[in-house]
Amino acid sequence: MQASYWHEKWVQGDIAFHQFKGSPLLKAHFSALQLPEQSRILVPLCGKTRDIAWFVANGHHVVAAELHEPAVIQLFADMGIEPKVTCLAEYDLIHYQARANDLQIDIYVGDIFSLTSALIGQVDAIYDRAALVALPFEMREQYTAHIRALSGNASQLVITFDYPQHLLPGPPYCVNSNEIAQHYADSHAISLLTSEDVKGGLKGKIAANEEMWLLKAKLEE
């Protein structure tokens, strides 16, 4: 999948994945991560999600990645924050950083695969609402391995969709329980927190379940 695909989606306003009031699943199940205040949460492919403002309002630092720069500009505008912007030419990334409520927000604009653990620093947990399901099958294994490496196998909340893939082309793609296990069973204990019918069907076309997974990092032996 080319970057131009997502840039075109944003330019055309074809962003049904954006939730203007944030994710109700996040608010209902965030406590499952059992994070202390001022934890640092990684939000991959963040778009202009209101969930980042929710994390900050609830006492957490955020580090995020997004391909489309205007989405990040809008995100900070919605929060009423003027970020500092730095070009990281050696990584082909742009770093937006700001503080709110004495908490740090770092968003990197560019290819998420350009991020390194040394660059982004500590990650205490990951919130993946629209990243894994945005990628075709051939990219998901690379993505999950990269996220695990970036975070040191930190615990995650992951939102996915389960539906007959052959009936509807993604994104969002079907990522079922078997695939979650394929990517994470060796490093995380996996729990299904909720599975809910998508009201009106996915893209208004077919029945689907929206599922939230808790991936708790296994202690190293």
Side-chain angles (χ1 to χ4, degrees), residues 68-113:
H68 191 64
E69 188 172 14
V72 175
I73 294 171
Q74 185 64 55
L75 185 155
F76 281 106
D78 289 345
M79 294 181 69
I81 297 172
E82 184 70 32
K84 176 183 177 182
V85 183
T86 306
C87 180
L88 304 177
E90 64 271 34
Y91 296 97
D92 198 21
L93 295 167
I94 301 172
H95 183 195
Y96 281 69
Q97 55 187 313
R99 292 191 71 81
N101 299 338
D102 207 27
L103 297 162
Q104 184 71 22
I105 305 170
D106 296 282
I107 302 182
Y108 295 89
V109 176
D111 186 344
I112 193 170
F113 293 106

Side-chain angles (χ1 to χ4, degrees), residues 129-178:
R129 188 192 74 80
L132 182 61
V133 296
L135 302 174
F137 178 77
E138 58 272 16
M139 290 186 68
R140 293 198 289 267
E141 185 169 5
Q142 179 189 5
Y143 165 80
T144 53
H146 184 59
I147 289 297
R148 288 169 53 181
L150 283 178
S151 67
N153 285 337
S155 295
Q156 302 191 38
L157 287 179
V158 181
I159 297 177
T160 61
F161 293 96
D162 191 4
Y163 66 93
Q165 184 70 84
H166 68 280
L167 295 181
L168 187 71
Y173 293 97
C174 170
V175 179
N176 60 26
S177 58
N178 289 335

